[in-house]
Amino acid sequence: MSTTPESDIGSGIDFQHEQDSAEFTELRKTHRSFVFPMAVIFLLWYFAYVLLADYAHEFMSIKVWGNFNMGLLLGLLQFVSTFGITAAYVSYSNRKIDPKATAIRTRLEAQEGE
């Protein structure tokens, strides 16, 4: 075991009490209010793509530009949407989640120092 200050973090904190606190409950609610809806939306979009690829061959074969067809376009949009969701989450987290988490951490670190 290490004897660095990082290894001793939390030794005097009642984590069960903190988990039940209003601040932590609000933090979880804020996190889940973004993550769960976004996960559902992305999974619906992903499964729609898979089902279209499997059952709508004629639609997916529509030429968009040269040999670039609808299947390729929607497949590339899967990657674009993944990066878009990541960027949206980072922005949301910076604005909504991080300030709440920092407040909890600061309070716990001050409490531990007492």
Side-chain angles (χ1 to χ4, degrees), residues 32-90:
R32 290 175 180 170
S33 70
F34 181 89
V35 172
F36 289 156
M38 193 59 69
V40 168
I41 289 167
F42 181 78
L43 285 173
L44 289 173
W45 158 232
Y46 173 74
F47 286 124
Y49 173 72
V50 171
L51 291 171
L52 285 170
D54 196 30
Y55 296 108
H57 296 277
E58 293 169 10
F59 172 73
M60 297 296 265
S61 298
I62 295 172
K63 302 278 185 186
V64 176
W65 181 66
N67 286 333
F68 195 78
N69 62 21
M70 191 61 73
L72 285 171
L73 176 64
L74 294 178
L76 290 173
L77 286 175
Q78 289 286 318
F79 289 101
V80 171
S81 65
T82 300
F83 292 119
I85 290 169
T86 301
Y89 178 74
V90 167

Side-chain angles (χ1 to χ4, degrees), residues 11-13 106-114:
S11 58
I13 298 173
T106 302
R107 182 175 52 77
L108 291 176
E109 287 173 347
Q111 173 185 338
E112 185 179 42
E114 293 175 355

Side-chain angles (χ1 to χ4, degrees), residues 7-26:
S7 66
D8 296 331
I9 291 176
S11 58
I13 298 173
D14 181 2
F15 288 105
Q16 188 63 44
H17 180 266
E18 291 304 323
Q19 182 179 354
D20 296 334
S21 71
E23 278 181 297
F24 192 76
T25 302
E26 180 63 27

Side-chain angles (χ1 to χ4, degrees), residues 24-34 92 100:
F24 192 76
T25 302
E26 180 63 27
L27 176 65
R28 276 191 314 219
K29 181 181 171 189
T30 303
H31 178 260
R32 290 175 180 170
S33 70
F34 181 89
Y92 180 82
K100 292 177 183 181

